[in-house]
Amino acid sequence: MTRFAEATNEILNLNPEVHLHAFKSGLRPGKFQESIAIVKPKTLAEFHEKATTQIEVEEFRALRRADKPIPSRDKERRNRQSNSRTDSRTFRLTPKFDNYTAFNTKRDDIIKDILHSKLIKPSNRAGTYQDQRHVDKSKYCAFHQKYSHTTNDCVIAKDVLEKLARQGLLDKYIASRGRKRSTDDLGQQSKLTDNSRDKGKKVDNDINPPRRIINCISGGLTGGGCTNSARKRSYRAMMMMTETTTSQLVDKDKPEISFVQKHYKSNDRNLDDPVVITAQVGEPLVSKILMDPGSSADVLFYSTLQKMKLSDKNLPPSSGELVGFSGERVSIRGYIWLQTTFGEYPNSKTIDIQYLVVDCRSPYNIILGRPSLNAFNAIVSTVHLCVKFLSQDNKVITIHGD
């Protein structure tokens, strides 16, 4: 708070809203940031009041830690010994399920198997052994990878196995379910075989329905905005639409977009290359533009912004983040509107695109996602390594990948 106050005092005529926004976006992750997100102070005075309260709480905690006596090593050792003797009598985990599935294999073997196949991750404290002098080495837990208790007595391991069993992921360790599934599969296959003989259709052996659904993670401005309140407003507006609303009629004057073999111009047909094109973005001609229909945002990398000799001082700030498939988060530095042109005149089309500026390494200069592709009425074919779009006069224009 002190450092921020010194920095803001150097800025003349600082807008209070900008001041408050910079306060919130500059907070470090922690309890104070979470409390600000819950309280949502609307003025600088409210923010300072909340910060003062947090400072008093932290100072009070520091005083309590300073006044707390430090136990000696002998006393601490005796406490550990007494706790290890009384833990088994005083502390018991409560099972999460009323009844548990009977397996046809030992729990030790099942835990080792699913850990090896990476169906589950090891416990956070797996392998961190306690003092070996006070451990019963005749008992070992395969889930925690520790001595002192067995896998059969481990409530956490039993709950993990029961949860996986109820999701249908441990059917091969359940005798009754395995026999039932094999019988059902044989019955279904015989029915399909009979029907195929009667109707001459292909036999489909893959009839097992999916057990889980994995949704993709996205970010950016799709879905109504980058803040929770904006997304909620967009969702409420969508839910207010009545079922009687008629869909827009298809414009019959627009030509159909299709791909044929002649559009394929690559010499090597074995490469699964992405579609990378060159387009005019602003004044310069920018190459290495990735056409990514799976992206929910149009991304302009900060290094490209500098090469385009555009100043980042006038970028409107953004508090959102882009989330990748593996969970990594990249902060959005801001956004910028740039005229983007596909094709060459007269077979071209120009649209203003809102780019999110992020500062991270990338082999591409720009990533064009669903917002811009939909605006251009563009269809990407990774098979033919080209993209087709409708020009200003509704002509189908083809751009081949670089």
Side-chain angles (χ1 to χ4, degrees):
M1 293 292 294
T2 304
R3 289 196 302 270
F4 193 88
E6 293 174 354
T8 53
N9 288 335
E10 299 177 359
I11 303 175
L12 298 177
N13 300 324
L14 179 59
N15 190 315
E17 295 182 358
V18 177
H19 192 169
L20 182 61
H21 176 78
F23 254 135
K24 295 179 181 179
S25 60
L27 292 178
R28 296 178 180 177
K31 293 183 179 180
F32 182 53
Q33 185 191 43
E34 295 173 358
S35 64
I36 291 298
I38 295 174
V39 175
K40 293 182 177 64
K42 298 181 179 179
T43 62
L44 290 173
E46 295 179 3
F47 189 95
H48 280 288
E49 182 180 358
K50 186 63 179 178
T52 303
T53 304
Q54 182 68 20
I55 292 173
E56 294 175 353
V57 171
E58 292 182 0
E59 291 177 348
F60 177 72
R61 290 174 179 171
L63 288 174
R64 292 194 61 181
R65 287 194 298 267
D67 295 339
K68 186 176 180 180
I70 302 175
S72 62
R73 291 186 177 180
D74 294 337
K75 186 176 180 181
E76 190 174 348
R77 185 175 66 254
R78 288 195 297 269
N79 289 337
R80 285 201 306 266
Q81 294 175 357
S82 62
N83 289 337
S84 63
R85 289 192 297 268
T86 58
D87 275 350
S88 59
R89 297 192 300 270
T90 58
F91 179 71
R92 288 287 185 274
L93 286 173
T94 303
K96 293 183 179 180
F97 303 96
D98 296 332
N99 50 64
Y100 289 84
T101 304
F103 297 105
N104 56 12
T105 309
K106 293 182 179 180
R107 285 194 175 92
D108 280 290
D109 297 334
I110 299 176
I111 290 291
K112 293 177 182 178
D113 190 10
I114 61 180
L115 282 173
H116 178 71
S117 61
K118 297 183 180 181
L119 185 61
I120 62 171
K121 294 182 179 180
S123 172
N124 293 333
R125 297 177 178 268
T128 56
Y129 292 93
Q130 60 270 45
D131 193 346
Q132 298 296 308
R133 294 173 296 177
H134 311 292
V135 169
D136 185 1
K137 292 189 177 181
S138 62
K139 300 178 180 179
Y140 180 77
C141 176
F143 179 73
H144 290 98
Q145 300 176 17
K146 293 181 180 180
Y147 294 100
S148 74
H149 66 280
T150 63
T151 309
N152 286 332
D153 296 334
C154 182
V155 177
I156 298 178
K158 291 174 65 177
D159 290 341
V160 169
L161 292 179
E162 183 62 26
K163 184 178 179 180
L164 294 176
R166 297 191 180 192
Q167 291 176 353
L169 302 178
L170 300 179
D171 288 351
K172 65 179 180 179
Y173 302 109
I174 305 173
S176 59
R177 194 174 298 177
R179 288 194 298 268
K180 181 179 179 181
R181 172 160 291 187
S182 61
T183 304
D184 293 343
D185 290 347
L186 289 174
Q188 293 287 350
Q189 290 180 8
S190 62
K191 290 180 181 179
L192 288 174
T193 304
D194 294 340
N195 292 336
S196 64
R197 289 173 181 172
D198 295 338
K199 300 180 181 180
K201 293 183 179 179
K202 181 180 178 181
V203 178
D204 186 7
N205 293 325
D206 188 10
I207 58 174
N208 295 327
R211 299 192 186 100
R212 293 178 292 172
I213 298 176
I214 301 177
N215 296 314
C216 66
I217 302 174
S218 60
L221 301 174
T222 57
C226 59
T227 62
N228 290 333
S229 58
R231 285 192 288 269
K232 288 179 180 178
R233 286 195 298 269
S234 176
Y235 178 74
R236 285 195 293 266
M238 179 183 66
M239 295 302 294
M240 290 176 63
M241 296 174 61
T242 60
E243 296 182 357
T244 57
T245 303
T246 58
S247 60
Q248 295 182 353
L249 296 177
V250 179
D251 190 353
K252 297 181 180 180
D253 295 334
K254 289 185 177 181
E256 294 183 355
I257 296 179
S258 61
F259 295 87
V260 295
Q261 193 63 27
K262 67 178 182 180
H263 295 136
Y264 191 93
K265 292 188 177 181
S266 177
N267 295 325
D268 193 345
R269 296 177 179 269
N270 296 323
L271 295 178
D272 293 326
D273 290 336
V275 179
V276 180
I277 68 169
T278 299
Q280 184 178 353
V281 180
E283 295 182 356
L285 200 64
V286 181
S287 60
K288 292 185 179 180
I289 299 178
L290 175 65
M291 312 297 286
D292 185 10
S295 175
S296 64
D298 300 315
V299 180
L300 174 66
F301 293 97
Y302 184 66
S303 58
T304 308
L305 185 76
Q306 292 177 320
K307 294 176 184 177
M308 297 171 69
K309 297 182 179 181
L310 297 175
S311 175
D312 59 341
K313 296 181 180 180
N314 298 325
L315 288 180
S318 176
S319 58
E321 291 180 330
L322 294 181
V323 183
F325 286 102
S326 58
E328 72 277 6
R329 294 178 177 269
V330 179
S331 299
I332 302 174
R333 297 193 60 154
Y335 61 89
I336 185 172
W337 289 89
L338 293 173
Q339 281 194 343
T340 304
T341 302
F342 278 9
E344 297 180 358
Y345 184 82
N347 298 324
S348 63
K349 188 173 185 178
T350 302
I351 293 179
D352 286 336
I353 300 298
Q354 185 180 18
Y355 292 94
L356 300 181
V357 180
V358 297
D359 189 5
C360 64
R361 293 186 178 183
S362 172
Y364 307 105
N365 292 319
I366 293 175
I367 296 179
L368 292 181
R370 294 192 300 271
S372 59
L373 294 178
N374 292 338
F376 274 101
N377 288 321
I379 307 296
V380 180
S381 174
T382 55
V383 175
H384 302 88
L385 292 178
C386 65
V387 57
K388 289 192 173 188
F389 68 97
L390 298 181
S391 64
Q392 304 286 6
D393 51 356
N394 281 340
K395 290 182 181 179
V396 179
I397 308 300
T398 303
I399 300 178
H400 293 278
D402 295 341

Coordinates of all heavy atoms in Angstrom, one line a residue, residues 304-347:
T304 N 4.7 -8.8 -31.4 CA 4.2 -8.3 -32.7 C 3.8 -6.9 -32.6 O 4.0 -6.1 -33.5 CB 3.1 -9.2 -33.1 OG1 3.5 -10.6 -33.1 CG2 2.6 -8.9 -34.5
L305 N 3.1 -6.5 -31.5 CA 2.7 -5.1 -31.3 C 3.9 -4.2 -31.4 O 3.8 -3.1 -32.0 CB 2.0 -5.0 -30.0 CG 1.4 -3.6 -29.7 CD1 0.1 -3.4 -30.5 CD2 1.1 -3.5 -28.2
Q306 N 5.0 -4.6 -30.8 CA 6.2 -3.7 -30.8 C 6.8 -3.7 -32.3 O 7.2 -2.6 -32.7 CB 7.3 -4.3 -29.9 CG 6.9 -4.1 -28.4 CD 7.9 -4.7 -27.5 OE1 8.5 -5.8 -27.7 NE2 8.1 -4.1 -26.3
K307 N 6.8 -4.8 -33.0 CA 7.3 -4.8 -34.3 C 6.4 -3.9 -35.3 O 6.9 -3.3 -36.2 CB 7.3 -6.2 -34.9 CG 8.4 -7.1 -34.2 CD 8.3 -8.5 -34.7 CE 9.3 -9.4 -34.0 NZ 9.2 -10.8 -34.4
M308 N 5.1 -3.8 -34.9 CA 4.2 -3.0 -35.7 C 4.4 -1.5 -35.3 O 3.7 -0.7 -35.9 CB 2.8 -3.4 -35.5 CG 2.5 -4.9 -36.0 SD 0.8 -5.5 -35.5 CE -0.2 -4.4 -36.5
K309 N 5.2 -1.2 -34.4 CA 5.5 0.1 -33.9 C 4.3 0.8 -33.4 O 4.0 2.0 -33.6 CB 6.2 1.0 -35.0 CG 7.5 0.4 -35.5 CD 8.2 1.3 -36.5 CE 9.5 0.7 -36.9 NZ 10.2 1.6 -37.9
L310 N 3.5 0.0 -32.6 CA 2.3 0.5 -32.0 C 2.6 0.7 -30.5 O 3.2 -0.2 -29.9 CB 1.1 -0.4 -32.2 CG 0.6 -0.6 -33.6 CD1 -0.5 -1.7 -33.7 CD2 0.1 0.7 -34.2
S311 N 2.2 1.8 -29.9 CA 2.4 2.1 -28.5 C 1.5 1.3 -27.7 O 0.3 1.3 -27.9 CB 2.3 3.6 -28.3 OG 2.4 3.9 -26.9
D312 N 2.0 0.8 -26.6 CA 1.1 0.0 -25.7 C 0.7 0.9 -24.5 O -0.1 0.4 -23.6 CB 1.9 -1.2 -25.1 CG 3.2 -0.8 -24.3 OD1 3.6 0.4 -24.6 OD2 3.7 -1.5 -23.5
K313 N 1.0 2.2 -24.5 CA 0.6 3.1 -23.4 C -0.9 3.4 -23.5 O -1.5 3.7 -22.5 CB 1.4 4.4 -23.5 CG 2.9 4.2 -23.2 CD 3.6 5.5 -23.3 CE 5.1 5.3 -23.0 NZ 5.9 6.6 -23.1
N314 N -1.5 3.4 -24.7 CA -2.9 3.7 -24.9 C -3.8 2.5 -24.9 O -4.9 2.6 -25.3 CB -3.0 4.5 -26.2 CG -2.3 5.8 -26.2 OD1 -2.2 6.4 -25.2 ND2 -1.8 6.2 -27.3
L315 N -3.2 1.3 -24.6 CA -4.0 0.1 -24.5 C -5.0 0.1 -23.4 O -4.6 0.3 -22.2 CB -3.2 -1.2 -24.4 CG -2.3 -1.6 -25.6 CD1 -1.5 -2.8 -25.2 CD2 -3.2 -1.9 -26.8
P316 N -6.3 0.0 -23.6 CA -7.2 -0.1 -22.5 C -6.9 -1.3 -21.7 O -6.7 -2.4 -22.2 CB -8.6 -0.2 -23.2 CG -8.4 0.3 -24.6 CD -7.0 0.0 -24.9
P317 N -6.8 -1.2 -20.3 CA -6.4 -2.3 -19.5 C -7.5 -3.4 -19.5 O -8.7 -3.1 -19.7 CB -6.2 -1.7 -18.1 CG -7.1 -0.4 -18.2 CD -7.0 0.1 -19.6
S318 N -7.1 -4.6 -19.2 CA -8.0 -5.7 -19.1 C -7.6 -6.6 -17.9 O -6.4 -6.9 -17.8 CB -8.1 -6.5 -20.4 OG -9.0 -7.6 -20.2
S319 N -8.5 -7.0 -17.1 CA -8.2 -7.8 -15.9 C -8.4 -9.3 -16.2 O -8.4 -10.1 -15.3 CB -9.1 -7.4 -14.7 OG -10.5 -7.5 -15.0
G320 N -8.8 -9.6 -17.4 CA -9.0 -11.0 -17.7 C -7.8 -11.9 -17.9 O -6.7 -11.4 -17.9
E321 N -8.0 -13.2 -18.1 CA -6.9 -14.1 -18.4 C -7.3 -15.1 -19.5 O -8.5 -15.3 -19.7 CB -6.6 -14.9 -17.1 CG -5.9 -14.1 -16.0 CD -5.6 -14.9 -14.8 OE1 -6.3 -15.9 -14.6 OE2 -4.6 -14.6 -14.1
L322 N -6.3 -15.6 -20.2 CA -6.6 -16.7 -21.1 C -6.1 -17.9 -20.5 O -5.0 -18.0 -19.9 CB -5.8 -16.4 -22.4 CG -6.3 -15.2 -23.3 CD1 -5.5 -15.1 -24.5 CD2 -7.8 -15.4 -23.6
V323 N -6.9 -19.0 -20.6 CA -6.6 -20.3 -19.9 C -6.3 -21.3 -21.0 O -7.1 -21.5 -21.9 CB -7.7 -20.7 -19.0 CG1 -7.3 -22.0 -18.2 CG2 -8.0 -19.6 -18.0
G324 N -5.2 -22.0 -20.9 CA -4.8 -23.0 -21.8 C -5.4 -24.4 -21.4 O -6.0 -24.5 -20.3
F325 N -5.2 -25.4 -22.2 CA -5.8 -26.7 -21.9 C -5.1 -27.4 -20.7 O -5.7 -28.2 -20.0 CB -5.6 -27.6 -23.2 CG -6.6 -27.3 -24.3 CD1 -6.2 -26.6 -25.4 CD2 -7.9 -27.7 -24.2 CE1 -7.1 -26.2 -26.4 CE2 -8.8 -27.3 -25.1 CZ -8.4 -26.6 -26.2
S326 N -3.8 -27.1 -20.5 CA -3.1 -27.7 -19.4 C -3.2 -26.8 -18.1 O -2.6 -27.1 -17.1 CB -1.6 -27.9 -19.7 OG -1.0 -26.6 -20.1
G327 N -4.0 -25.8 -18.1 CA -4.3 -25.0 -16.9 C -3.4 -23.7 -16.8 O -3.6 -23.0 -15.9
E328 N -2.5 -23.5 -17.7 CA -1.6 -22.3 -17.6 C -2.5 -21.1 -17.9 O -3.3 -21.1 -18.7 CB -0.4 -22.4 -18.5 CG -0.7 -22.2 -20.0 CD -1.2 -23.5 -20.6 OE1 -1.4 -24.5 -19.9 OE2 -1.3 -23.5 -21.9
R329 N -2.2 -20.0 -17.1 CA -2.9 -18.8 -17.3 C -2.0 -17.7 -17.8 O -0.8 -17.5 -17.3 CB -3.5 -18.4 -15.9 CG -4.6 -19.3 -15.5 CD -5.1 -18.9 -14.1 NE -6.2 -19.8 -13.7 CZ -7.5 -19.6 -13.9 NH1 -7.8 -18.5 -14.6 NH2 -8.4 -20.4 -13.5
V330 N -2.5 -16.9 -18.7 CA -1.7 -15.8 -19.3 C -2.6 -14.5 -19.1 O -3.7 -14.4 -19.5 CB -1.4 -16.0 -20.8 CG1 -0.6 -14.8 -21.3 CG2 -0.6 -17.3 -21.0
S331 N -2.0 -13.5 -18.4 CA -2.7 -12.3 -18.2 C -2.8 -11.5 -19.5 O -1.9 -11.4 -20.3 CB -2.0 -11.4 -17.1 OG -1.9 -12.1 -15.9
I332 N -4.0 -10.8 -19.7 CA -4.2 -10.0 -20.8 C -3.8 -8.5 -20.5 O -4.2 -7.9 -19.5 CB -5.7 -10.0 -21.2 CG1 -6.2 -11.4 -21.5 CG2 -6.0 -9.1 -22.4 CD1 -7.7 -11.5 -21.7
R333 N -2.8 -8.0 -21.3 CA -2.3 -6.7 -21.0 C -3.3 -5.6 -21.4 O -3.3 -4.5 -20.9 CB -1.0 -6.5 -21.8 CG 0.1 -7.4 -21.3 CD 1.5 -7.0 -21.9 NE 1.8 -5.6 -21.4 CZ 3.1 -5.2 -21.3 NH1 4.1 -6.0 -21.6 NH2 3.3 -4.0 -20.9
G334 N -4.1 -5.9 -22.4 CA -5.1 -5.0 -22.9 C -5.7 -5.4 -24.2 O -5.5 -6.6 -24.6
Y335 N -6.4 -4.6 -24.9 CA -7.0 -4.9 -26.2 C -6.8 -3.7 -27.1 O -6.7 -2.6 -26.7 CB -8.4 -5.3 -26.1 CG -9.4 -4.3 -25.5 CD1 -10.0 -3.4 -26.4 CD2 -9.6 -4.2 -24.2 CE1 -10.8 -2.4 -25.9 CE2 -10.5 -3.2 -23.6 CZ -11.1 -2.3 -24.5 OH -11.9 -1.4 -24.0
I336 N -6.9 -4.0 -28.4 CA -6.7 -3.0 -29.4 C -7.5 -3.4 -30.6 O -7.6 -4.6 -31.0 CB -5.2 -2.9 -29.8 CG1 -5.0 -1.7 -30.8 CG2 -4.6 -4.1 -30.4 CD1 -3.6 -1.4 -31.0
W337 N -8.2 -2.4 -31.3 CA -8.9 -2.6 -32.5 C -8.1 -2.3 -33.7 O -7.4 -1.2 -33.8 CB -10.2 -1.7 -32.5 CG -11.2 -2.1 -31.5 CD1 -11.4 -1.7 -30.2 CD2 -12.3 -2.9 -31.8 NE1 -12.5 -2.2 -29.7 CE2 -13.1 -3.0 -30.6 CE3 -12.8 -3.7 -32.9 CZ2 -14.2 -3.8 -30.5 CZ3 -13.9 -4.4 -32.8 CH2 -14.6 -4.5 -31.6
L338 N -8.0 -3.2 -34.6 CA -7.2 -3.0 -35.8 C -7.9 -3.5 -37.1 O -8.6 -4.5 -37.0 CB -5.8 -3.8 -35.7 CG -4.8 -3.3 -34.7 CD1 -3.7 -4.3 -34.6 CD2 -4.3 -1.9 -35.0
Q339 N -7.8 -2.7 -38.1 CA -8.4 -3.1 -39.4 C -7.7 -4.3 -40.0 O -6.5 -4.2 -40.2 CB -8.5 -2.0 -40.4 CG -9.6 -1.0 -40.2 CD -9.7 0.0 -41.3 OE1 -8.9 0.1 -42.2 NE2 -10.9 0.6 -41.4
T340 N -8.4 -5.4 -40.3 CA -7.7 -6.6 -40.8 C -8.3 -6.9 -42.2 O -9.6 -6.9 -42.3 CB -8.0 -7.8 -39.8 OG1 -7.5 -7.4 -38.5 CG2 -7.3 -9.0 -40.3
T341 N -7.4 -7.1 -43.1 CA -7.9 -7.4 -44.5 C -7.4 -8.7 -45.0 O -6.3 -9.1 -44.9 CB -7.3 -6.3 -45.4 OG1 -7.7 -5.0 -45.0 CG2 -7.7 -6.5 -46.9
F342 N -8.4 -9.5 -45.4 CA -8.1 -10.8 -46.0 C -8.1 -10.6 -47.6 O -9.0 -10.0 -48.1 CB -9.2 -11.8 -45.7 CG -9.0 -12.5 -44.3 CD1 -8.0 -12.0 -43.5 CD2 -9.8 -13.6 -43.9 CE1 -7.9 -12.6 -42.2 CE2 -9.6 -14.2 -42.7 CZ -8.6 -13.7 -41.8
G343 N -7.2 -11.2 -48.2 CA -7.1 -11.2 -49.7 C -6.5 -9.9 -50.2 O -6.0 -9.0 -49.5
E344 N -6.6 -9.8 -51.5 CA -6.0 -8.6 -52.2 C -7.1 -7.9 -53.1 O -8.0 -8.6 -53.6 CB -4.8 -9.0 -53.1 CG -3.7 -9.5 -52.4 CD -2.5 -9.9 -53.3 OE1 -2.7 -9.7 -54.5 OE2 -1.5 -10.3 -52.8
Y345 N -7.1 -6.6 -53.1 CA -8.2 -5.9 -53.8 C -8.2 -6.3 -55.3 O -7.1 -6.4 -55.9 CB -7.9 -4.4 -53.7 CG -9.0 -3.5 -54.3 CD1 -10.1 -3.2 -53.6 CD2 -8.8 -3.0 -55.6 CE1 -11.1 -2.5 -54.2 CE2 -9.8 -2.2 -56.1 CZ -11.0 -2.0 -55.4 OH -11.9 -1.2 -56.0
P346 N -9.3 -6.5 -55.9 CA -10.7 -6.2 -55.4 C -11.3 -7.5 -54.6 O -12.4 -7.4 -54.1 CB -11.5 -5.9 -56.6 CG -10.8 -6.8 -57.7 CD -9.4 -6.8 -57.4
N347 N -10.6 -8.6 -54.7 CA -11.0 -9.8 -54.0 C -10.6 -9.8 -52.6 O -9.7 -10.6 -52.2 CB -10.5 -11.0 -54.7 CG -11.0 -11.1 -56.2 OD1 -12.2 -10.7 -56.5 ND2 -10.2 -11.6 -57.1

